Amino acid sequence: MSAVKVVGKPAVTGLEKLARLRFGMLSTRIALLYAALFALVLGLVVSLAAGALARFGEASAARDLGANARVFDEILAARARQMGDQAGVLAHDFGFREAVATGDAPTIGSALVSLESRVRSDMAFVLTLDGDVLAADATGVPAPERLWAKLDKGAKRGIIRSDTGFALAAASPIEAPDLIGWLVIAQPLDREELDRLVELAPIALDAAVVDAARQPAWLRDASGDTVFERNEDGRLLYHVSDLAVLQDGIAPRLVLRHSLAESLSAYTNLKWWLVFLAGTGILLVLGLSWKVARSVTEPLKQLDEATRLIGEGREISLSVGTDDEIGRLAQSFNRMVAAIEEREREIIHVGLHDGLTGLPNRKLFAEQLANILSRRRSDEKVMMAYVDLDDFKMVNDTLGHPAGDALLRMVADHLREDLPDALIARLGGDEFAVVIDGITGGQSLGNIADALQRSFDRPLQINGQTPAFGASIGIAMAPSDGVDGVSLMRNADLALYRAKHEGKATYHFFEPALDEAARQRRQLELDLRTAIKEGGFELDYQPLYSLAEQRLTGFEALIRWNHPTRGRISPAEFVPLAEETGLIIPIGEWVLREACHQASRWPSDVSVAVNVSPKQFTASGIASTITSALSASGLPPRRLELEITESIFIADIDTTLATLHSLRNLGVRIALDDFGTGYSSLSYLRSFPFDKVKIDKSFVEDLGTSTNGHAVIRAITTLASALGMETLAEGVEDIAQFEVLEREGCQHIQGYLFSRPVAGDAVAGLLRDGAGYQQQLRA
């Protein structure tokens, strides 16, 4: 294929018109032939695609129905487990077991009504060994003899039939200590409940729980856990699941039905689109074939015309797609044109780029910055940074200008490597500019600036020497500091001036247009970094009192920051900032080392508890940090207790559990802090054998205001005791709370009732006076 664009073409002769007419007729035949072949192939492809779509739709619907059946089974199993857990808590309650053993009907009825209310059940009853049914309302309870067989075989969950229909039931043995009966709780599986389950499904389906005896033969004979199709007023998919039972004489099955016709209707539009695209493709091929056929008759003339125009120095545009002599001649022509264009690009590149580093120069940078600002979305920020190398003149003076040039090239390479998506330019001398766009509100500007600063903190070797090297950076943000390139560059230059006067090798944001809160936060971050470098933190300790041993058995280390100008700053203010910026890692390491060091001077039976933040825990090397702190201080691992919250499990549960087990293998004790405030605390208790569970202070506060507070504490202590874990209550402030916690089996107490946090040098005094706590509490 060839085409030539010329100026001043000669007139067309009659012979040429006749030749074009003949070629035009040939081009029509070629075009029709190509179109017919294409239509034949495309028709076959569309037919195959339509059939594949139908098969895909059927398979997809079957997979979806099977997946939903498994989800239904898992939901029913989960609900049964939840009811079983609730029934188990009541069945193990001492008062309830005593009531069952003594036949105290009012107590049993009250407890069962409360249980029904908590789990939204319509039936709860006790089945004694004598076959008696104890319930607040025994209406609808199945005959005891139909339940005993399953219960005797160890069944704890399944379907039962009441007067109102099928119900999901769970049972828990009542032992005092021998088995004296079973506590059974049930939730109805009526139409309303099944409709709620159906609403969870991503596809439209019908669900029903039907006894196998009442099903038609074709459905009764169907094997469980399989999807099969049946035509009943349309194509329908069925799935049958056999349900576990807790009662003899019933065989319930969960039947799911889905309309396959409705699923396949979604692919109808796609089939029509295929037909439309096929028709459009045929028309397009017909037009293109006609054009290609025409071009076959004219390449020689066009190449001749191109040769003549080249000799005349005329501008032409030629493209050839053949591989014959004409095509090779056209390729040579194209290579010549390409060589000319490449030389022009090199000239343009030299005019817009720095010859030493290959970075854009000031002119190109200004154009690119303007383009970035024009494309900026309203919810994005753009960072403009001016960079000036500190003491660059000294490098040139001491090592020579070639070393200075090498330094500039290394800086450019580091910036490209560290900031691959940024716009980087050399503005001249030792000045660079960096633009980072697409910054959203969730990103920390300080972290981005730190990353930029770190590019200049990397050690450099020039001719075997390591020059003193650093950079001062001024930063302006769009749109707060300007919406055009001139304003941003001016404000970044002012910020660079400020950075130079603050000691060099640092960065500074343009201040006047910054939000006051953001500026204060940045200052607090700088102060935190200074405090880390200069040791501006200290530790206070809050005593941990053991009810069993009636003495102080440990202290929790609490970080304190005495700011040189603002005084004591609350951890609630600076710890979240440290978490966000990653400074919590060096701070946490210091707390571990300092707490272990001070605790090593305490009596050998007194431990120290240290909070470990999620970010610190997930950082690499937490185990080695703890080992190093223990080794340096000489503190035995058994005297160190790490307090963690369940948020550490969010990122990678497997890795977290592996780390926890490695710490336990060292001998360190692990406590779960803020128990009860998260939604997954119980599941984590099952995943890892914690040494201690810390009851959140909100539950302790409820002891004086909520009638359920005692029950909550009792439930937690009972659960922890069953799992072999100790319990500690936080925030104990008065003697009434202390007495309730002691009565309900809590083993450790912490709070202002004993002492506010004290400095490290006051710990010895607290331990010395600790014997008087028991007398004060009993007074």
Side-chain angles (χ1 to χ4, degrees):
M1 177 178 179
S2 62
V4 179
K5 183 179 180 181
V6 301
V7 178
K9 294 178 68 174
V12 179
T13 64
L15 183 60
E16 289 175 338
K17 289 181 179 180
L18 180 59
R20 289 187 181 182
L21 179 59
R22 291 196 186 115
F23 288 136
M25 294 172 62
L26 178 60
S27 64
T28 301
R29 292 195 299 271
I30 294 175
L32 291 175
L33 178 60
Y34 284 168
L37 292 174
F38 182 79
L40 179 62
V41 174
L42 193 58
L44 180 60
V45 171
V46 170
S47 177
L48 293 175
L53 282 174
R55 291 189 296 274
F56 174 79
E58 294 170 359
S60 178
R63 286 195 303 271
D64 290 344
L65 184 58
N68 277 281
R70 290 190 293 274
V71 171
F72 275 40
D73 292 341
E74 291 174 3
I75 291 175
L76 293 178
R79 290 187 179 179
R81 285 195 298 272
Q82 291 173 356
M83 291 192 297
D85 292 342
Q86 292 287 341
V89 172
L90 181 58
H92 288 81
D93 182 80
F94 177 78
F96 183 76
R97 288 183 294 170
E98 183 179 10
V100 175
T102 59
D104 186 352
T107 300
I108 296 172
S110 175
L112 293 178
V113 170
S114 176
L115 178 61
E116 290 175 353
S117 175
R118 286 198 304 275
V119 300
R120 298 190 302 277
S121 169
D122 69 343
M123 183 187 300
F125 59 92
V126 172
L127 187 61
T128 68
L129 292 179
D130 297 329
D132 297 329
V133 175
L134 305 180
D137 182 5
T139 302
V141 175
E145 59 272 11
R146 302 184 68 183
L147 298 176
W148 269 120
K150 295 293 183 181
L151 295 176
D152 284 342
K153 293 179 180 178
K156 293 186 178 180
R157 292 182 287 272
I159 304 298
I160 65 174
R161 183 196 294 276
S162 65
D163 291 347
T164 58
F166 287 116
L168 179 64
S172 178
I174 305 173
E175 300 171 340
D178 295 328
L179 180 68
I180 61 175
W182 290 83
L183 171 59
V184 182
I185 184 171
Q187 287 183 346
L189 280 178
D190 53 14
R191 183 72 266 161
E192 181 180 356
E193 180 66 18
L194 291 175
D195 288 343
R196 280 197 295 268
L197 291 176
V198 167
E199 290 177 357
L200 301 176
I203 61 174
L205 53 82
D206 297 325
V209 176
V210 185
D211 199 324
R214 299 183 181 181
Q215 296 176 6
W218 63 267
L219 187 58
R220 187 169 54 251
D221 296 338
S223 58
D225 296 328
T226 59
V227 176
F228 59 92
E229 181 180 345
R230 181 176 173 81
N231 288 321
E232 298 176 353
D233 299 329
R235 300 176 66 185
L236 299 175
L237 290 180
Y238 283 87
H239 183 281
V240 179
S241 299
D242 295 322
L243 301 177
V245 296
L246 203 61
Q247 175 182 339
D248 288 335
I250 60 173
R253 308 182 89 189
L254 176 63
V255 180
L256 301 182
R257 185 178 67 179
H258 172 63
S259 174
L260 183 59
E262 293 182 6
S263 296
L264 296 180
S265 64
Y267 297 94
T268 302
N269 290 337
L270 187 57
K271 293 180 180 178
W272 282 113
W273 270 107
L274 286 174
V275 174
F276 171 75
L277 292 175
T280 304
I282 292 173
L283 293 177
L284 181 61
V285 168
L286 182 60
L288 291 176
S289 299
W290 178 78
K291 186 174 182 180
V292 170
R294 281 196 57 196
S295 65
V296 172
T297 62
E298 298 183 353
L300 184 59
K301 177 186 174 185
Q302 293 175 348
L303 287 174
D304 178 68
E305 185 73 9
T307 303
R308 185 179 65 81
L309 293 176
I310 290 174
E312 296 176 358
R314 305 276 295 274
E315 291 186 2
I316 63 173
S317 176
L318 176 65
S319 62
V320 176
T322 60
D323 197 27
D324 52 13
E325 290 78 0
I326 299 175
R328 288 193 291 274
L329 178 60
Q331 291 172 5
S332 299
F333 174 82
N334 290 337
R335 284 194 292 270
M336 180 185 65
V337 173
I340 295 173
E341 292 176 350
E342 180 62 25
R343 286 194 293 271
E344 290 177 349
R345 283 194 294 269
E346 290 177 358
I347 294 172
I348 294 174
H349 181 84
V350 170
L352 297 176
H353 289 77
D354 171 51
L356 180 64
T357 63
L359 295 174
N361 60 16
R362 183 180 295 271
K363 179 180 179 181
L364 180 58
F365 173 78
E367 295 176 358
Q368 293 176 330
L369 176 59
N371 291 334
I372 290 175
L373 293 175
S374 66
R375 298 193 309 267
R376 183 186 66 84
R377 296 198 298 265
S378 60
D379 59 340
E380 292 181 343
K381 298 178 181 179
V382 176
M383 175 180 285
M384 163 69 200
Y386 252 141
V387 181
D388 184 81
L389 303 185
D390 297 329
D391 303 321
F392 178 73
K393 184 176 183 299
M394 184 178 299
V395 175
N396 279 334
D397 293 342
T398 57
L399 301 179
H401 287 279
D405 292 344
L407 176 62
L408 292 174
R409 285 191 294 267
M410 290 181 183
V411 169
D413 292 339
H414 289 172
L415 288 173
R416 291 190 189 99
E417 179 181 347
D418 295 341
L419 304 168
D421 298 326
L423 169 61
I424 305 169
R426 182 189 177 201
L427 304 183
D430 60 348
E431 292 185 355
F432 292 82
V434 179
V435 174
I436 302 175
D437 62 341
I439 301 174
T440 60
Q443 295 176 269
S444 169
L445 300 180
N447 290 344
I448 298 175
D450 286 340
L452 176 59
Q453 184 74 61
R454 284 194 294 271
S455 291
F456 303 95
D457 294 338
R458 297 165 62 172
L460 299 176
Q461 286 285 335
I462 302 177
N463 298 330
Q465 301 187 53
T466 304
F469 172 71
S472 298
I473 305 172
I475 300 173
M477 301 297 303
S480 58
D481 300 336
V483 295
D484 60 276
V486 174
S487 300
L488 277 181
M489 294 174 72
R490 181 182 65 250
N491 292 337
D493 191 37
L494 293 174
L496 174 62
Y497 180 82
R498 179 69 176 272
K500 283 285 189 181
H501 283 266
E502 287 185 349
K504 300 181 180 181
T506 185
Y507 61 84
H508 193 84
F509 285 86
F510 177 68
E511 293 183 347
L514 289 177
D515 180 77
E516 182 64 20
R519 191 167 59 83
Q520 290 180 357
R521 177 192 173 282
R522 176 58 190 157
Q523 186 59 50
L524 186 63
E525 180 182 350
L526 293 174
D527 293 344
L528 269 177
R529 297 180 184 276
T530 302
I532 294 172
K533 294 178 181 178
E534 300 178 359
F537 301 104
E538 60 187 34
L539 293 181
D540 282 357
Y541 297 90
Q542 187 167 33
L544 310 178
Y545 183 83
S546 171
L547 290 171
E549 300 181 36
Q550 299 183 6
R551 68 179 183 89
L552 297 181
T553 57
F555 292 84
E556 180 180 359
L558 304 173
I559 190 169
R560 298 291 184 261
W561 180 18
N562 287 317
H563 194 277
T565 59
R566 295 176 55 185
R568 177 160 286 195
I569 299 179
S570 169
E573 181 178 353
F574 71 83
V575 169
L577 176 61
E579 284 273 8
E580 181 181 349
T581 58
L583 296 177
I584 195 65
I585 295 177
I587 293 175
E589 292 179 358
W590 177 85
V591 171
L592 273 169
R593 296 180 185 278
E594 184 65 16
C596 291
H597 173 70
Q598 295 192 22
S600 66
R601 300 196 294 265
W602 300 346
S604 60
D605 58 349
V606 178
S607 63
V608 63
V610 178
N611 287 280
V612 179
S613 76
K615 182 165 289 188
Q616 182 185 2
F617 190 87
T618 55
S620 60
I622 180 66
S624 62
T625 298
I626 294 172
T627 303
S628 175
L630 292 171
S631 176
S633 63
L635 184 73
R638 61 179 174 79
R639 293 178 57 194
L640 175 62
E641 183 174 282
L642 301 180
E643 297 184 0
I644 62 174
T645 61
E646 68 177 62
S647 57
I648 68 169
F649 293 94
I650 294 176
D652 187 343
I653 294 180
D654 293 336
T655 301
T656 299
L657 291 176
T659 303
L660 287 174
H661 282 292
S662 68
L663 294 176
R664 280 287 297 274
N665 292 336
L666 291 176
V668 176
R669 292 169 55 84
I670 309 295
L672 180 60
D673 201 3
D674 299 334
F675 179 79
T677 60
Y679 67 92
S680 301
S681 296
L682 288 176
S683 65
Y684 295 137
L685 286 184
R686 296 173 58 189
S687 301
F688 182 79
F690 291 93
D691 297 287
K692 183 184 293 182
V693 173
K694 298 191 69 175
I695 304 173
D696 188 75
K697 63 181 180 180
S698 61
F699 296 105
V700 177
E701 294 171 353
D702 286 346
L703 292 179
T705 59
S706 171
T707 57
N708 295 327
H710 296 215
V712 172
I713 296 297
R714 186 185 311 121
I716 295 176
T717 56
T718 302
L719 174 64
S721 176
L723 295 174
M725 303 177 187
E726 299 177 1
T727 52
L728 181 148
E730 301 176 292
V732 181
E733 298 183 358
D734 58 55
I735 192 65
Q737 295 171 342
F738 171 87
E739 292 173 349
V740 173
L741 291 167
E742 183 181 32
R743 185 167 62 251
E744 298 300 344
C746 187
Q747 294 146 304
H748 302 275
I749 300 293
Q750 175 183 357
Y752 290 170
L753 176 63
F754 304 101
S755 170
R756 289 180 176 271
V758 299
D761 54 7
V763 169
L766 284 179
L767 291 172
R768 198 167 45 247
D769 300 336
Y773 279 121
Q774 184 65 19
Q775 299 177 1
Q776 297 174 15
L777 295 172
R778 301 302 178 189

